[in-house]
Amino acid sequence: MSLAATATMVLMLLLLAGFWIIQTGLLAGLQFTEQKVEVVGYLQTTATANQIATLQAEIAAMPEVANVAYVDRDTALERFRASMAAQGREDLTQYLDSNPLYGSLEVKLVDPTNFGTVGDALRADPIVRNVINIEDLVERVLTVTNVLRTAGTVVLVIVGIIVLFIIVNTIRLAVVARAEEIEIMRLVGASDAFIRWPFVFEGAMVGLFGSLLTLGILAAVADPISGFMADFFRVLPLQFGSLTRDLVALVLGAGVGLGVLGSWLSVRTYLIR
Amino acid sequence: MTIAPAQRPVRSIRSRVLGQRHDQAKPERPVLVLHDVTKEYPNGKLALREVDLVIPEGDFVFLVGPSGAGKSTLIKLLIRDELPTRGEVVLDGQDLAHLPRRQVPRMRRKIGIIFQDFKLLPTKTVWENVAFALEVTGTSRSRIRPAVDRVLALVGLTEQAQQVPSQLSGGEQQRTAIARALVHDPRLIIADEPTGNLDPLISWEILQLLLRINELGVTVMMATHNAQVVTALRKRVVALEEGRIIRDEVGGAYHRED
């Protein structure tokens, strides 16, 4: 076994870990996108602070709601001015004698598919002037994110199966090379367990060593790649540090598990029929 | 004047040389009994047909016959690499067909097997190759050492103990294999063409070694094409042809003599 098997193990685990990282990044990105879906209710100018606070509390109490932020009219104007300035346009509101904007409740959802319930709840209150109809937008975003999520999972599963076959076959080759030793052991009366044990142990060692090597490589390249990814997806709050524990479990589990499985299956071919 | 040692039965001489104790055989039980054995392979080939064979303790048997006569199949049945389609193979009183899988290794330890191509482990020394047969059975180190030293002395390889097989001549390699077959004190030695790869002089050496082992009380069954050896030694000859025993003769020659 040893060198060839360990090298294959490392490459395959890197492949698996790479796809896992991409998948996790993809999921984080999708979640971020979905969180951008907000239900915004604009409020009547006549609404009192008390009414607004009551409505805000009611909405916040709904299980579908992650949080509710109240944006008053002055803040809305400031935001508008800031965004105009950022785009380098002239601020036309300075020519108005009063603030033309409405205050609003911005509702972030736990699950973006629940926007309808929350929109209805807002509309039901007379202090709400109108609720922006975001149905189309939400549906499109959800279609895209669901397709990406499914595709990502499918690709990860396929890569996992490929890795399984390649590792098991590499170990099988190593065992075949020692077929004569196994045959001699059988002929002199070694028990199945006695023959199998060293191979399974070696498989586990190759798996352990391979996964540690893989984790070392990942740790070495994590920072530069993380920086690059952060630059690349400036908008996405990707944090590679948070993946580490799952990734270590995945790589160690896959390495040792496949090493043992590969040896077990390969040796079984040669044992007493 | 010295006193001559008392005459001892064959088995105890064997025990003394191999350093292992055996139950004193009371009524002699045949080492091997084949009763009405037929072996048909899945591809429909009939390798053995209705074979009956009894090999008593201490026998020396030549198994002869042309290639494809069923010699290899017979040997595979004895080490339970294959099971008979019909009939019984009884080794040391136990029917191999009804032996649970877990008991197979224990049964194999009652047989020592020697091949034409030696089947030694190339990375291990002579000593380690022989010790290997005991290590796999879980024998303790303190018992392995004297046992290995003793069989190596018996086959005359004490000097070569620390060499690896590639440093040995063919005859020495085969003697190593014989030592390995002998080290766990088997009831039966099966030699499958042991002289097939060796020149005539070395073949005689190996034969003499097997005869000596037989004199020590171990039953020997040797499959061979070496007509000269078989005819010269006048031992029991079992001839197979097309899966049948066509001749079973004590003091026979390689070919039929009428």
Side-chain angles (χ1 to χ4, degrees):
Chain A
M1 255 178 251
S2 63
L3 195 64
T6 313
T8 312
M9 181 76 88
V10 169
L11 291 176
M12 289 300 114
L13 289 178
L14 278 177
L15 184 71
L16 190 64
F19 271 91
W20 170 266
I21 290 171
I22 290 171
Q23 164 82 347
T24 318
L26 181 69
L27 289 180
L30 295 179
Q31 207 180 359
F32 180 75
T33 311
E34 286 174 354
Q35 276 170 1
K36 284 280 168 190
V37 174
E38 285 183 331
V39 180
V40 180
Y42 290 98
L43 305 171
Q44 305 283 11
T45 47
T46 54
T48 64
N50 225 343
Q51 284 174 316
I52 293 167
T54 313
L55 179 60
Q56 187 175 1
E58 266 172 34
I59 299 294
M62 293 175 71
E64 296 91 346
V65 172
N67 79 4
V68 187
Y70 170 54
V71 180
D72 65 26
R73 298 182 62 201
D74 294 341
T75 315
L77 188 62
E78 268 166 41
R79 273 199 204 167
F80 180 75
R81 285 181 172 157
S83 98
M84 285 296 118
Q87 293 173 41
R89 296 190 192 170
E90 192 189 355
D91 174 21
L92 297 172
T93 56
Q94 60 184 304
Y95 303 114
L96 299 171
D97 40 0
S98 70
N99 183 352
L101 298 177
Y102 299 100
S104 63
L105 285 179
E106 294 179 348
V107 184
K108 288 209 157 85
L109 303 174
V110 176
D111 179 348
T113 50
N114 293 325
F115 68 91
T117 333
V118 178
D120 290 347
L122 282 170
R123 271 188 212 101
D125 196 296
I127 65 162
V128 175
R129 211 180 148 267
N130 68 323
V131 176
I132 294 180
N133 192 351
I134 54 167
E135 197 167 335
D136 277 359
L137 177 71
V138 170
E139 268 170 14
R140 277 183 209 162
V141 168
L142 287 182
T143 309
V144 172
T145 54
N146 281 337
V147 166
L148 287 176
R149 216 173 247 136
T150 313
T153 310
V154 168
V155 169
L156 192 64
V157 167
I158 290 175
V159 170
I161 292 173
I162 292 171
V163 166
L164 177 106
F165 276 106
I166 292 183
I167 289 182
V168 167
N169 267 316
T170 312
I171 292 178
R172 172 160 297 169
L173 283 181
V175 173
V176 168
R178 288 166 65 183
E180 187 166 23
E181 189 179 336
I182 296 177
E183 194 195 346
I184 292 169
M185 286 198 218
R186 285 179 51 221
L187 290 173
V188 296
S191 65
D192 286 4
F194 186 94
I195 297 171
R196 186 187 283 132
W197 189 83
F199 286 96
V200 170
F201 181 76
E202 199 172 335
M205 282 295 116
V206 165
L208 185 66
F209 191 64
S211 22
L212 291 179
L213 215 57
T214 307
L215 290 173
I217 294 172
L218 285 177
V221 300
D223 276 351
I225 285 191
S226 180
F228 170 76
M229 296 281 269
D231 282 351
F232 191 72
F233 301 108
R234 199 175 286 277
V235 289
L236 300 183
L238 292 184
Q239 284 172 350
F240 288 87
S242 62
L243 311 178
T244 314
R245 204 185 49 189
D246 283 355
L247 196 62
V248 169
L250 174 81
V251 169
L252 273 179
V256 176
L258 291 180
V260 168
L261 183 74
S263 312
W264 189 283
L265 293 179
S266 310
V267 176
R268 203 180 57 167
T269 322
Y270 294 98
L271 297 180
I272 297 163
R273 284 170 279 262
Chain B
M1 179 184 156
T2 54
I3 300 164
Q7 279 292 313
R8 283 165 178 268
V10 168
R11 292 200 59 138
S12 72
I13 293 171
R14 171 186 176 221
S15 302
R16 208 171 56 202
V17 173
L18 293 177
Q20 277 145 335
R21 241 171 283 120
H22 267 275
D23 50 322
Q24 292 290 323
K26 286 145 236 160
E28 284 289 332
R29 170 165 78 180
V31 174
L32 179 70
V33 179
L34 274 76
H35 179 61
D36 195 24
V37 169
T38 296
K39 175 65 187 177
E40 184 179 356
Y41 283 109
N43 64 11
K45 188 182 176 250
L46 263 175
L48 290 176
R49 304 166 199 229
E50 294 146 23
V51 169
D52 285 297
L53 183 64
V54 176
I55 298 184
E57 179 94 51
D59 218 355
F60 191 109
V61 184
F62 284 117
L63 191 62
V64 302
S67 299
K71 301 194 297 292
S72 300
T73 301
L74 186 63
I75 289 173
K76 280 183 183 158
L77 291 177
L78 302 188
I79 60 174
R80 203 194 172 280
D81 230 10
E82 297 282 354
L83 287 172
T85 315
R86 268 201 314 281
E88 292 178 323
V89 179
V90 182
L91 183 76
D92 199 23
Q94 203 157 9
D95 184 359
L96 295 188
H98 296 117
L99 193 66
R101 233 184 85 110
R102 297 181 141 276
Q103 298 283 322
V104 171
R106 195 165 295 281
M107 179 54 71
R108 289 229 172 103
R109 292 169 204 169
K110 294 183 179 179
I111 301 175
I113 184 155
I114 301 160
F115 295 95
Q116 181 171 358
D117 57 353
F118 318 136
K119 292 200 194 294
L120 300 173
L121 293 169
T123 55
K124 288 182 186 284
T125 65
V126 167
W127 201 93
E128 288 163 348
N129 262 290
V130 176
F132 188 64
L134 289 178
E135 281 164 8
V136 301
T137 62
T139 311
S140 68
R141 293 211 165 271
S142 58
R143 283 169 57 193
I144 289 177
R145 181 168 295 281
V148 173
D149 288 342
R150 211 153 32 227
V151 286
L152 283 182
L154 181 69
V155 302
L157 283 177
T158 308
E159 300 280 303
Q160 290 87 347
Q162 295 312 319
Q163 293 178 9
V164 291
S166 59
Q167 294 169 297
L168 301 176
S169 70
E172 288 168 333
Q173 291 187 48
Q174 193 57 293
R175 269 146 63 196
T176 309
I178 293 173
R180 182 182 62 193
L182 211 52
V183 73
H184 49 49
D185 192 28
R187 305 290 308 275
L188 173 66
I189 292 267
I190 298 172
D192 190 2
E193 291 279 356
T195 60
N197 278 352
L198 304 172
D199 66 48
L201 189 67
I202 304 297
S203 296
W204 275 110
E205 264 182 46
I206 295 299
L207 242 296
Q208 269 162 358
L209 183 55
L210 288 174
L211 288 169
R212 208 161 118 227
I213 290 163
N214 180 239
E215 278 165 19
L216 297 173
V218 185
T219 313
V220 176
M221 178 191 240
M222 172 169 161
T224 186
H225 284 129
N226 193 331
Q228 200 196 353
V229 162
V230 176
T231 306
L233 288 175
R234 294 288 160 185
K235 292 287 184 182
R236 180 176 173 194
V237 175
V238 174
L240 278 172
E241 204 172 297
E242 289 176 1
R244 284 197 172 86
I245 292 183
I246 54 162
R247 183 158 59 98
D248 184 350
E249 195 177 8
V250 176
Y254 186 82
H255 298 286
R256 177 184 293 275
E257 301 166 307
D258 290 312

Coordinates of all heavy atoms in Angstrom, one line a residue, chain A residues 180-181 183-192 194 196 271-273, chain B residues 79-81 101 104-105 108-109 115 119 121 132-133 135-137 180:
Chain A
E180 N 0.0 -13.4 -3.0 CA 0.7 -14.6 -2.7 C 1.0 -14.8 -1.2 O 0.8 -15.8 -0.6 CB 2.0 -14.7 -3.4 CG 2.7 -16.0 -3.2 CD 3.8 -16.3 -4.2 OE1 4.4 -15.3 -4.7 OE2 4.2 -17.5 -4.4
E181 N 1.3 -13.6 -0.5 CA 1.5 -13.7 0.9 C 0.2 -14.1 1.6 O 0.2 -14.9 2.5 CB 1.8 -12.3 1.4 CG 2.3 -12.2 2.8 CD 2.7 -10.8 3.3 OE1 3.1 -10.0 2.4 OE2 2.6 -10.6 4.5
E183 N -2.1 -16.0 0.3 CA -2.4 -17.4 0.0 C -1.5 -18.3 0.9 O -2.0 -19.3 1.4 CB -2.0 -17.7 -1.5 CG -2.5 -19.0 -1.9 CD -1.9 -19.5 -3.2 OE1 -1.2 -18.6 -3.9 OE2 -2.0 -20.7 -3.5
I184 N -0.3 -17.9 1.1 CA 0.6 -18.6 2.0 C 0.0 -18.6 3.4 O 0.0 -19.7 4.1 CB 2.0 -18.1 2.0 CG1 2.7 -18.3 0.6 CG2 2.9 -18.7 3.1 CD1 3.9 -17.6 0.4
M185 N -0.4 -17.5 3.9 CA -1.0 -17.4 5.2 C -2.2 -18.4 5.3 O -2.3 -19.1 6.3 CB -1.6 -16.0 5.5 CG -0.5 -15.0 5.8 SD -1.3 -13.6 6.6 CE -0.4 -12.3 5.9
R186 N -3.0 -18.5 4.3 CA -4.2 -19.4 4.3 C -3.7 -20.8 4.4 O -4.2 -21.6 5.1 CB -5.0 -19.2 3.1 CG -5.9 -17.9 3.1 CD -6.7 -17.8 1.8 NE -7.4 -19.1 1.5 CZ -7.5 -19.6 0.3 NH1 -7.0 -19.0 -0.7 NH2 -8.2 -20.7 0.2
L187 N -2.7 -21.1 3.6 CA -2.2 -22.5 3.5 C -1.6 -23.0 4.8 O -1.7 -24.2 5.1 CB -1.3 -22.7 2.3 CG -2.0 -22.6 1.0 CD1 -0.9 -22.6 -0.1 CD2 -3.0 -23.7 0.8
V188 N -1.0 -22.1 5.5 CA -0.4 -22.6 6.8 C -1.4 -22.4 7.9 O -1.0 -22.6 9.1 CB 0.9 -21.8 7.1 CG1 2.0 -22.1 6.1 CG2 0.7 -20.3 7.2
G189 N -2.6 -22.1 7.6 CA -3.7 -22.2 8.6 C -3.9 -20.9 9.4 O -4.3 -21.0 10.6
A190 N -3.7 -19.8 8.8 CA -4.0 -18.5 9.5 C -5.5 -18.3 9.5 O -6.2 -18.6 8.5 CB -3.3 -17.3 8.8
S191 N -6.1 -17.8 10.5 CA -7.5 -17.5 10.5 C -7.8 -16.3 9.7 O -6.9 -15.5 9.4 CB -8.0 -17.3 12.0 OG -7.4 -16.1 12.5
D192 N -9.1 -16.1 9.3 CA -9.5 -15.0 8.5 C -9.1 -13.7 9.2 O -8.6 -12.7 8.6 CB -11.0 -15.0 8.3 CG -11.4 -16.0 7.3 OD1 -10.5 -16.8 6.8 OD2 -12.6 -16.1 6.9
F194 N -6.8 -13.1 11.4 CA -5.4 -12.9 11.4 C -4.9 -12.3 10.1 O -4.0 -11.5 10.1 CB -4.7 -14.2 11.7 CG -3.2 -14.1 11.9 CD1 -2.7 -13.9 13.2 CD2 -2.3 -14.1 10.8 CE1 -1.3 -13.8 13.4 CE2 -1.0 -13.9 11.0 CZ -0.5 -13.8 12.3
R196 N -6.8 -10.7 7.8 CA -7.4 -9.4 7.5 C -6.9 -8.3 8.3 O -6.7 -7.2 7.8 CB -8.9 -9.6 7.8 CG -9.7 -8.4 7.3 CD -11.2 -8.5 7.8 NE -11.9 -9.4 6.9 CZ -12.7 -10.4 7.4 NH1 -12.8 -10.6 8.7 NH2 -13.4 -11.2 6.6
L271 N -10.1 -14.6 1.0 CA -10.2 -15.5 2.2 C -10.9 -16.8 1.9 O -11.4 -17.0 0.7 CB -11.0 -14.7 3.3 CG -10.2 -13.5 3.8 CD1 -11.0 -12.7 4.9 CD2 -8.9 -13.9 4.4
I272 N -11.0 -17.6 2.9 CA -11.6 -19.0 2.7 C -13.0 -18.9 2.0 O -13.8 -18.1 2.5 CB -11.7 -19.7 4.0 CG1 -10.3 -19.9 4.6 CG2 -12.4 -21.0 3.8 CD1 -10.3 -20.2 6.1
R273 N -13.2 -19.6 1.0 CA -14.5 -19.6 0.3 C -15.4 -20.5 1.1 O -15.1 -21.5 1.7 CB -14.3 -20.1 -1.1 CG -13.7 -19.1 -2.0 CD -13.3 -19.7 -3.3 NE -12.0 -20.4 -3.2 CZ -10.9 -19.9 -3.6 NH1 -10.8 -18.7 -4.1 NH2 -9.7 -20.5 -3.5
Chain B
I79 N -7.2 -29.8 1.1 CA -7.0 -28.5 1.9 C -8.3 -27.7 2.0 O -8.3 -26.6 2.4 CB -5.8 -27.7 1.4 CG1 -6.1 -27.3 0.0 CG2 -4.5 -28.5 1.5 CD1 -5.0 -26.3 -0.5
R80 N -9.4 -28.3 1.5 CA -10.7 -27.6 1.6 C -10.7 -26.3 0.8 O -11.3 -25.3 1.3 CB -11.2 -27.4 3.0 CG -12.7 -27.3 3.0 CD -13.2 -26.8 4.4 NE -14.6 -26.5 4.5 CZ -15.1 -25.4 4.0 NH1 -14.3 -24.5 3.4 NH2 -16.4 -25.1 4.1
D81 N -9.9 -26.2 -0.3 CA -10.0 -25.1 -1.1 C -11.3 -25.2 -2.0 O -11.8 -24.3 -2.5 CB -8.8 -25.0 -2.0 CG -8.1 -23.6 -2.0 OD1 -8.6 -22.8 -1.1 OD2 -7.2 -23.3 -2.8
R101 N -16.8 -23.0 8.6 CA -15.8 -22.1 8.0 C -14.7 -21.7 9.1 O -13.5 -21.7 8.7 CB -16.4 -20.8 7.5 CG -16.2 -20.5 6.1 CD -16.8 -19.2 5.8 NE -16.0 -18.1 6.2 CZ -15.4 -17.3 5.3 NH1 -15.6 -17.5 4.0 NH2 -14.6 -16.3 5.7
V104 N -11.8 -24.1 9.6 CA -10.9 -24.5 8.4 C -9.5 -24.2 8.7 O -8.6 -25.1 8.5 CB -11.4 -23.8 7.1 CG1 -10.4 -24.0 6.0 CG2 -12.8 -24.4 6.7
P105 N -9.1 -23.0 9.3 CA -7.7 -22.8 9.6 C -7.1 -23.8 10.5 O -6.0 -24.3 10.2 CB -7.7 -21.4 10.2 CG -8.9 -20.7 9.7 CD -9.9 -21.8 9.5
R108 N -6.4 -26.9 8.5 CA -5.2 -26.7 7.6 C -3.9 -26.9 8.4 O -2.9 -27.3 7.8 CB -5.3 -25.3 7.0 CG -6.4 -25.1 6.0 CD -5.9 -24.5 4.7 NE -6.9 -24.6 3.7 CZ -7.6 -23.5 3.4 NH1 -7.3 -22.3 3.9 NH2 -8.6 -23.6 2.5
R109 N -3.9 -26.7 9.7 CA -2.7 -26.8 10.4 C -2.3 -28.3 10.6 O -1.2 -28.6 11.0 CB -2.8 -26.2 11.8 CG -2.9 -24.7 11.7 CD -3.3 -24.0 13.0 NE -3.9 -22.7 12.7 CZ -4.5 -21.9 13.6 NH1 -4.7 -22.4 14.8 NH2 -5.1 -20.8 13.2
F115 N 4.8 -26.9 -2.6 CA 4.5 -26.7 -4.0 C 5.7 -26.8 -4.9 O 6.9 -26.6 -4.5 CB 3.9 -25.3 -4.2 CG 2.6 -25.2 -3.5 CD1 2.5 -24.7 -2.2 CD2 1.4 -25.6 -4.1 CE1 1.3 -24.5 -1.6 CE2 0.2 -25.5 -3.5 CZ 0.1 -25.0 -2.2
K119 N 6.6 -21.1 -3.1 CA 5.8 -20.2 -2.4 C 6.4 -19.7 -1.1 O 5.8 -19.7 -0.1 CB 4.4 -20.8 -2.1 CG 3.6 -21.0 -3.4 CD 2.1 -21.1 -3.1 CE 1.3 -21.7 -4.3 NZ 1.3 -20.8 -5.4
L121 N 8.1 -16.4 1.0 CA 8.0 -14.9 0.9 C 9.4 -14.4 0.7 O 10.3 -14.6 1.4 CB 7.4 -14.5 2.3 CG 6.0 -14.9 2.5 CD1 5.6 -14.6 4.0 CD2 5.1 -14.2 1.6
F132 N 7.0 -18.1 10.2 CA 5.8 -17.5 9.7 C 4.6 -18.4 9.9 O 3.5 -18.1 10.4 CB 5.9 -17.1 8.3 CG 4.8 -16.3 7.7 CD1 4.5 -15.0 8.2 CD2 4.0 -16.8 6.7 CE1 3.5 -14.3 7.6 CE2 3.0 -16.1 6.1 CZ 2.7 -14.8 6.6
A133 N 4.9 -19.7 9.6 CA 3.8 -20.7 9.7 C 3.3 -20.9 11.1 O 2.2 -21.3 11.4 CB 4.3 -22.1 9.2
E135 N 3.8 -18.3 13.5 CA 3.3 -17.0 13.9 C 1.8 -16.8 13.6 O 1.0 -16.3 14.3 CB 4.1 -15.9 13.2 CG 5.4 -15.6 13.9 CD 6.4 -14.8 13.0 OE1 5.9 -14.3 11.9 OE2 7.5 -14.7 13.3
V136 N 1.4 -17.2 12.4 CA 0.0 -17.0 11.9 C -1.0 -17.8 12.8 O -2.1 -17.5 12.8 CB -0.2 -17.3 10.5 CG1 0.7 -16.5 9.6 CG2 0.0 -18.8 10.2
T137 N -0.5 -18.8 13.5 CA -1.4 -19.6 14.3 C -1.4 -19.1 15.7 O -2.0 -19.7 16.6 CB -1.0 -21.1 14.3 OG1 0.3 -21.2 14.9 CG2 -1.0 -21.7 12.9
R180 N 9.0 -25.4 6.5 CA 7.8 -24.6 6.8 C 6.5 -25.6 6.9 O 5.7 -25.4 7.8 CB 7.5 -23.5 5.8 CG 6.3 -22.7 6.1 CD 6.0 -21.6 5.1 NE 5.7 -22.3 3.8 CZ 5.7 -21.6 2.6 NH1 6.0 -20.3 2.6 NH2 5.4 -22.2 1.5

